[in-house]
Amino acid sequence: MRVHIGGDHAAHELQRDLVTWLAGQGHDVVDHGPVAYDELDDYPVFVLRAAEAVAAEPHSLGIVLGGSGNGEQIAANKVVGVRAALAYAPELARLAREHNDARVVSLGARMHTPEEAHAIVEAFLSTSFSGAERHQRRIDMITAYETDGALPPVP
């Protein structure tokens, strides 16, 4: 599977670890940076590129990283067609894929050991969208709002 990854200085070590680990798992990893540590870098520079690449490649997934993962999730969600989920446990990563068809997972490097991050990423990459009608209906509502601002009807 092709996996796009982007982060910032706060996640530099974890990102380097994940790039190596993912490649070792047989994934085609595209590293959108940063490739060198710079304590003054800004996560949108790298995260938006990773999220745009995921949006452009329908069968790819993405990982965005920062200190907490919050800002990175927000930035990735600004890319049309991307649903990014902040996951702090493997179960949340599974649910993000299974229920929300999220294509990007966001992690906080200050919140996880590399082993915990591996478990979260593995859960995310190995889970498929369920395709359940109720989940697709909800995704369609979000997409409609994203496309033309249409609010779902109140029942």
Side-chain angles (χ1 to χ4, degrees), residues 63-88:
I63 303 165
V64 295
L65 307 126
S68 70
N70 281 315
E72 294 74 22
Q73 177 205 27
I74 291 167
N77 276 315
K78 298 299 180 186
V79 175
V80 174
V82 168
R83 283 181 298 283
L86 177 65
Y88 55 84

Side-chain angles (χ1 to χ4, degrees), residues 31-125:
D31 187 354
H32 294 273
V35 294
Y37 179 81
D38 176 358
E39 68 180 88
L40 299 177
D41 67 15
D42 297 308
Y43 64 83
V45 172
F46 309 106
V47 167
L48 290 171
R49 283 173 171 76
E52 282 201 346
V54 170
E57 292 183 0
H59 299 291
S60 67
L61 294 175
I63 303 165
V64 295
L65 307 126
S68 70
N70 281 315
E72 294 74 22
Q73 177 205 27
I74 291 167
N77 276 315
K78 298 299 180 186
V79 175
V80 174
V82 168
R83 283 181 298 283
L86 177 65
Y88 55 84
E91 181 63 16
L92 288 172
R94 277 191 287 279
L95 290 171
R97 290 284 300 134
E98 189 176 302
H99 291 191
N100 306 112
D101 198 16
R103 296 196 39 228
V104 174
V105 66
S106 185
L107 298 173
R110 293 179 180 144
M111 311 297 149
H112 305 290
T113 65
E115 295 75 25
E116 291 167 341
H118 294 176
I120 293 166
V121 168
E122 177 61 33
F124 186 78
L125 297 180

